[in-house]
C-alpha cells in the first residue's frame, strides 16, 4: 500500500495534510493495493480501531487497484479509480444467515469529483456480478426523494448528464438470495432490466429522455419453466422555469399499454390494461396470497389550459369483467363499468 502527499510533509493514513505546493490542492493521497484483505484496506482508509474485529469477522475478500484522492481548498474532493477491484467478497450476518451474500468481482473505474452539493464525473463505471452502472455529467447530492415527489422538476433541474444501469436478475438472485420477493422453489434463469436517462433538448427547452426496458424473464418454478414478456417504458420530458411537460410517453407490454404527449398546458394519455394477465404473470414467480385482479380497462385523460390560469380536465374510462380481491375477500365485481368526468379549475401557478 502506498500513501503519498503533494509536499515533503508525510501524510497520515487517512490522507489529511494541510501543507501544499499548489494554489488549489490542500491535500493528496494515493492508495495502491494488490490482493490485500478488505479488512486491511479498511484499516488504511481510517476506520475506528474498535470496529476492526467486527469488519474482519463479517467481511472477507481481496482488493486490487489504485485510488487517488485530492482535496481542494474549497472542500471539493477529486477521486480517480484505476480499475479498483474487490474479488471474492463474502459478507456474513452472524444474527441472520439469510442475510449472507457474495460477489465474485466488483470494479470501479473512472473519475469523480465531490463538491458541497454536486457529484461531477467525466466518466465513471461501476460493476458487480449482477449489475453495471455508468455516469457522465453532473447530479445533485442534496436532492431528496420527498423533494422529487413534491415537484419532479427538482430532479430535472439538478441533473445534467447521462446515467445508465443494467441489472441481471439471475445473477442478482445468486449473489443476494432473498432480495427478490419470489415464491419458494423459484429460480430465475435469465432476464435483464436496463435503465437510461440522458439529455434530450426539445423546442428550445431543456429536455431529458427516460427509458426502461426488460427482456424476456425466464424462471424455473417447481417442475416447469415459465416466461414473462418484455416491458418497455419511454418518456421524453421537457422542463424549464419550474414547469415540466411530457412530450412523449410510451409503455408497451403484453398486459399494459399507454401512449401520451403534451405539457403542463395541454396533453393527453390513453391507457389500456389487462389486469387478469398482469396478475397471472406475477403469480408465476411471486407470492400474491389473498390478492387477485381480474378484467381489463381502458381510458383517456385530456387536459388543457383555457385562458390565463383556468384549465380543463376531461376523461373517460371503461372496465370489463372487473374483479378485485384483497385478503381473500372480493371487494369489487362488475361485468362492466363506464365513467367520464369534465372538470374545470383555476391553475395555482405551481408546477
Amino acid at each position: 500500500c502506498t500513501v503519498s502527499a503533494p509536499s515533503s510533509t508525510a501524510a497520515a493514513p487517512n490522507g489529511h495534510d494541510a501543507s501544499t505546493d499548489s494554489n488549489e490542492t490542500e491535500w493528496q493521497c494515493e492508495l495502491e493495493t494488490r490482493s490485500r484483505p478488505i479488512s486491511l484496506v479498511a484499516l488504511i482508509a481510517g476506520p475506528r480501531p474498535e470496529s476492526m474485529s467486527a469488519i474482519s469477522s463479517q467481511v472477507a475478500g481481496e482488493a486490487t487497484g489504485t485510488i487517488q484522492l485530492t482535496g481542494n481548498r474549497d472542500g471539493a474532493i477529486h477521486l480517480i479509480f484505476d480499475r479498483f477491484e474487490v474479488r471474492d467478497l463474502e459478507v456474513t450476518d452472524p444474527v441472520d444467515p439469510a442475510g449472507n451474500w457474495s460477489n465474485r468481482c466488483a470494479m470501479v473505474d473512472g473519475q469523480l469529483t465531490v463538491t458541497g452539493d454536486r457529484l461531477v464525473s467525466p466518466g465513471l463505471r461501476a460493476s458487480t456480478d449482477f449489475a453495471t452502472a455508468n455516469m457522465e455529467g453532473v447530479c445533485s447530492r442534496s436532492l431528496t426523494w420527498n423533494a422529487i415527489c413534491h415537484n419532479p422538476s427538482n430532479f430535472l433541474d439538478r441533473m445534467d448528464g447521462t446515467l445508465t444501469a443494467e441489472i441481471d436478475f439471475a445473477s442478482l438472485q445468486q449473489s443476494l438470495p432473498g432480495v427478490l420477493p419470489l415464491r419458494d422453489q423459484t429460480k430465475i434463469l435469465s432476464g435483464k432490466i436496463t435503465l437510461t436517462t440522458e439529455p434530450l433538448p426539445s423546442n428550445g427547452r431543456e429536455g431529458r429522455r427516460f427509458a426502461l426496458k426488460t427482456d424476456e424473464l425466464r424462471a424455473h418454478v417447481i417442475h416447469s419453466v415459465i416466461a414473462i414478456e418484455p416491458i418497455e417504458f419511454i418518456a421524453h420530458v421537457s422542463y424549464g422555469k419550474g414547469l415540466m411537460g411530457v412530450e412523449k410517453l410510451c409503455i408497451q407490454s403484453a398486459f399494459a399499454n399507454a401512449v401520451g404527449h403534451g405539457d403542463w398546458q395541454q396533453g393527453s394519455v390513453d391507457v389500456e390494461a389487462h389486469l387478469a394477465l398482469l396478475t397471472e404473470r406475477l403469480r408465476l414467480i411471486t407470492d400474491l396470497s389473498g390478492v387477485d385482479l381480474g378484467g381489463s380497462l381502458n381510458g383517456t385523460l385530456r387536459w388543457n389550459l383555457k385562458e390565463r390560469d383556468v384549465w380543463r380536465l376531461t376523461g373517460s374510462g371503461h372496465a370489463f369483467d372487473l374483479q378485485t380481491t384483497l385478503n381473500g375477500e372480493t371487494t369489487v365485481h362488475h361485468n362492466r363499468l363506464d365513467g367520464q368526468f369534465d372538470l374545470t379549475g383555476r391553475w395555482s401557478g405551481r408546477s
Side-chain angles (χ1 to χ4, degrees):
C1 174
T2 302
V3 179
S4 60
S7 69
S8 59
T9 303
N14 59 9
H16 289 288
D17 182 4
S19 62
T20 177
D21 293 333
S22 169
N23 293 329
E24 298 295 334
T25 301
E26 186 171 22
W27 58 266
Q28 187 176 48
C29 71
E30 178 177 296
L31 171 65
E32 182 178 0
T33 176
R34 293 290 181 267
S35 301
R36 298 295 184 183
I38 294 296
S39 56
L40 178 58
V41 175
L43 176 61
I44 295 172
R48 296 185 304 270
E50 60 268 21
S51 67
M52 291 315 302
S53 59
I55 292 177
S56 300
S57 62
Q58 298 181 10
V59 180
E62 295 182 344
T64 297
T66 302
I67 304 177
Q68 298 178 8
L69 299 94
T70 303
N72 293 347
R73 293 185 179 276
D74 60 4
I77 300 177
H78 182 59
L79 301 95
I80 300 178
F81 299 90
D82 185 6
R83 293 194 60 84
F84 189 83
E85 298 181 350
V86 176
R87 293 185 175 274
D88 301 323
L89 180 65
E90 297 284 345
V91 179
T92 58
D93 187 337
V95 178
D96 182 12
N100 298 347
W101 58 279
S102 62
N103 193 85
R104 288 177 300 174
C105 182
M107 185 271 292
V108 181
D109 189 60
Q111 300 182 38
L112 179 68
T113 299
V114 183
T115 67
D117 63 349
R118 298 193 306 168
L119 298 175
V120 184
S121 175
L124 182 69
R125 173 181 172 83
S127 65
T128 67
D129 290 349
F130 54 85
T132 61
N134 295 272
M135 172 186 172
E136 181 179 342
V138 181
C139 66
S140 172
R141 294 180 59 206
S142 60
L143 191 59
T144 65
W145 179 248
N146 287 336
I148 295 175
C149 293
H150 177 71
N151 187 349
S153 66
N154 284 327
F155 170 79
L156 299 171
D157 290 335
R158 302 184 190 184
M159 174 66 201
D160 183 15
T162 300
L163 295 175
T164 62
E166 182 179 272
I167 300 174
D168 185 303
F169 290 118
S171 299
L172 175 61
Q173 184 186 24
Q174 181 176 355
S175 296
L176 301 174
V179 71
L180 296 175
L182 302 175
R183 294 173 55 186
D184 293 339
Q185 302 183 47
T186 299
K187 180 180 181 180
I188 303 295
L189 300 178
S190 63
K192 295 181 180 180
I193 180 172
T194 303
L195 303 97
T196 303
T197 175
E198 58 188 352
L200 185 68
S202 177
N203 298 326
R205 302 178 63 189
E206 296 289 338
R208 181 157 290 275
R209 176 180 180 269
F210 295 89
L212 180 152
K213 184 177 182 180
T214 68
D215 54 15
E216 184 181 68
L217 178 67
R218 299 177 66 252
H220 186 275
V221 183
I222 306 178
H223 300 298
S224 62
V225 175
I226 59 95
I228 297 180
E229 298 85 350
I231 302 172
E232 184 173 12
F233 167 86
I234 297 175
H236 294 176
V237 179
S238 61
Y239 57 96
K241 297 181 179 180
L243 301 176
M244 182 180 70
V246 180
E247 297 188 355
K248 177 182 178 181
L249 173 67
C250 181
I251 301 175
Q252 293 182 330
S253 70
F255 41 79
N257 294 279
V259 177
H261 65 278
D263 55 27
W264 69 280
Q265 293 180 313
Q266 63 178 1
S268 65
V269 177
D270 297 305
V271 179
E272 180 182 90
H274 303 278
L275 302 180
L277 187 58
L278 172 62
T279 305
E280 177 186 338
R281 294 296 189 269
L282 292 178
R283 198 183 303 280
L284 292 173
I285 60 173
T286 191
D287 185 9
L288 293 179
S289 301
V291 178
D292 192 20
L293 300 176
S296 61
L297 57 88
N298 60 72
T300 299
L301 176 68
R302 302 182 187 280
W303 66 92
N304 68 285
L305 188 65
K306 298 178 63 177
E307 53 184 25
R308 293 190 178 181
D309 57 353
V310 177
W311 55 268
R312 183 183 183 190
L313 180 67
T314 62
S316 62
H318 311 279
F320 306 92
D321 299 324
L322 182 64
Q323 178 175 318
T324 303
T325 302
L326 298 175
N327 299 323
E329 300 180 359
T330 300
T331 56
V332 176
H333 188 190
H334 293 282
N335 292 329
R336 176 171 177 140
L337 282 176
D338 299 299
Q340 59 183 6
F341 61 87
D342 190 335
L343 303 175
T344 300
R346 187 167 297 278
W347 181 256
S348 68
R350 299 176 182 177
S351 56

